[in-house]
Amino acid sequence: MANAELKTIEPIAVVGIEHKGAYDQIGAKFGEIFGMAGPGGWPIQGSLGIYFNDPSQTPVEDLRSKACIIVPEGFDPGVPGVEAFEVAGGQYVVYRHMGSYAGLGDSWMKVYSEEIPRLKMDDNGPPFEVYVNNCNEVPEDELITDIYVPVKAL
């Protein structure tokens, strides 16, 4: 995507575990949940991270996020600390980031400072990232991350 696009999506069934602290440290929680999912035979359909706070307005130690695995609707592993829920469907601004996770901060800034205003929208809930490919299977410069921000018209 050269620019962000407006898309309407269906709800996404996920199972996730909470992360508190710096967003760039959520990787350990992904390791934790995938460490349960693989041996447990969970039906993994992808992964995403949900980010609940604005890091420019929230102290790092108070940032909340969730490391999630996309699963079929109705799946619940019944594991303490792992929550089954749905990411809300609706209208989203979607922006494709290509390359290292280290560059995601710049893409997030572009989405909020340029793309959402260009589309005459306002953010409307917690955003998330969908990890289109696996960081353990492709070179860093080939990573694809789609940023989803729920929006409403101004």
Side-chain angles (χ1 to χ4, degrees):
M1 283 175 227
N3 291 305
E5 298 176 353
L6 278 175
K7 289 188 177 182
T8 300
I9 67 166
E10 296 296 319
I12 303 169
V14 298
V15 293
I17 55 177
E18 185 126 0
H19 170 71
K20 194 165 182 185
Y23 286 157
D24 64 0
Q25 300 300 306
I26 195 172
K29 292 296 183 179
F30 278 106
E32 187 178 326
I33 197 165
F34 274 99
M36 291 184 265
W42 300 0
I44 300 168
Q45 297 180 341
S47 63
L48 62 83
I50 305 171
Y51 301 92
F52 296 100
N53 307 106
D54 179 345
S56 70
Q57 298 183 14
T58 305
V60 170
E61 63 273 12
D62 293 333
L63 291 173
R64 289 179 38 255
S65 55
K66 285 192 178 177
C68 301
I69 293 175
I70 301 169
V71 295
E73 185 178 340
F75 176 77
D76 186 342
V79 175
V82 177
E83 178 187 5
F85 63 101
E86 281 190 343
V87 174
Q91 193 167 41
Y92 285 78
V93 167
V94 182
Y95 182 85
R96 177 155 285 182
H97 170 83
M98 307 281 290
S100 170
Y101 295 149
L104 277 166
D106 290 340
S107 290
W108 279 99
M109 292 296 289
K110 180 175 179 154
V111 169
Y112 277 95
S113 66
E114 297 175 25
E115 298 297 338
I116 292 174
R118 177 183 66 81
L119 294 166
K120 297 179 180 19
M121 303 301 281
D122 195 14
D123 65 308
N124 189 31
F128 61 93
E129 297 172 344
V130 172
Y131 308 105
V132 177
N133 51 14
N134 186 326
C135 64
N136 296 315
E137 297 174 358
V138 300
E140 189 175 59
D141 63 340
E142 293 179 18
L143 289 171
I144 301 170
T145 306
D146 287 341
I147 296 171
Y148 285 74
V149 180
V151 292
K152 61 183 177 185
L154 288 174

